[in-house]
Amino acid sequence: MTEVHAPAVPWSVAPEAHDSPVAAALWRAYYTEASDRWYLLHEGRRTDPGELEREVAAETGADLAPPGGVLLVARHGGEPVGTAGVRLLDPATAELTRVFLREDARGKGGASVLLAAAEDAARALGAGQIVLDTRSDLVEARALYSRHGYEEIEPYTEGPYAEHWYGKKLTPSP
């Protein structure tokens, strides 16, 4: 019997305009999932549709545009399935935000590809370190960051959803 292996579906990551239709659709998917997860955990309900619309509209992503930021879109087999945003907090420090993969794209190696591209983007912006904040219930994200050398740091932001802060020194690209 001959074993047949399907070819691996390729991943790609590239900058995308923060206000493109692709970016808007992925932002809506990200916000819906993260918000629903929080409300289900804390209040036993999904996000109110009115709140969802207000919050999606309020976070334009303009801070993820050049020259001080970038929005990256991950594609799996050419289909947009995830994002990562990088923005400068100061000339030496970049912040990682909006890290997201659609549920149907998870478990296929894309998170590591996306995270590496975000770190490269931070280096390209001149940052020597990258930081982020996340919530306690986002255990998969916290595990991803730890696997990739991020360490818990002192809080650098405040807010109801910032419960863990991570940082990583960025070594120059080879």
Side-chain angles (χ1 to χ4, degrees), residues 23-86:
L26 288 167
W27 168 233
R28 176 174 294 281
Y30 167 87
Y31 190 85
T32 301
E33 182 176 327
S35 183
D36 280 353
R37 189 169 181 167
W38 191 89
Y39 278 116
L40 286 168
L41 179 65
H42 295 284
E43 297 183 13
R45 66 173 178 88
R46 295 194 178 279
T47 308
D48 173 82
E51 177 190 359
L52 177 67
E53 293 309 316
R54 283 190 305 277
E55 293 302 318
V56 165
E59 291 291 329
T60 66
D63 56 341
L64 302 177
V70 64
L71 178 68
L72 302 170
V73 169
R75 287 178 168 77
H76 189 239
E79 182 181 348
V81 296
T83 63
V86 177

Side-chain angles (χ1 to χ4, degrees), residues 48-171:
D48 173 82
E51 177 190 359
L52 177 67
E53 293 309 316
R54 283 190 305 277
E55 293 302 318
V56 165
E59 291 291 329
T60 66
D63 56 341
L64 302 177
V70 64
L71 178 68
L72 302 170
V73 169
R75 287 178 168 77
H76 189 239
E79 182 181 348
V81 296
T83 63
V86 177
R87 61 181 166 222
L88 286 176
L89 297 180
D90 62 49
T93 307
E95 182 178 43
L96 182 61
T97 186
R98 293 193 188 192
V99 178
F100 171 72
L101 280 178
R102 285 189 344 219
E103 190 172 359
D104 61 331
R106 295 178 191 156
K108 300 174 182 178
S112 295
V113 172
L114 187 55
L115 194 53
E119 291 173 4
D120 287 344
R123 283 184 198 92
L125 290 170
Q129 68 176 344
I130 191 166
V131 297
L132 65 98
D133 66 59
T134 192
R135 300 188 326 225
S136 292
D137 63 308
L138 299 177
V139 294
E140 303 90 345
R142 291 173 44 218
L144 172 72
Y145 301 132
S146 292
R147 275 195 318 273
H148 288 276
Y150 288 74
E151 296 179 350
E152 290 216 38
I153 60 172
E154 291 297 314
Y156 69 93
T157 58
E158 292 182 8
Y161 309 116
E163 298 171 319
H164 296 271
W165 298 262
Y166 289 87
K168 180 179 180 179
K169 297 286 183 210
L170 297 173
T171 56

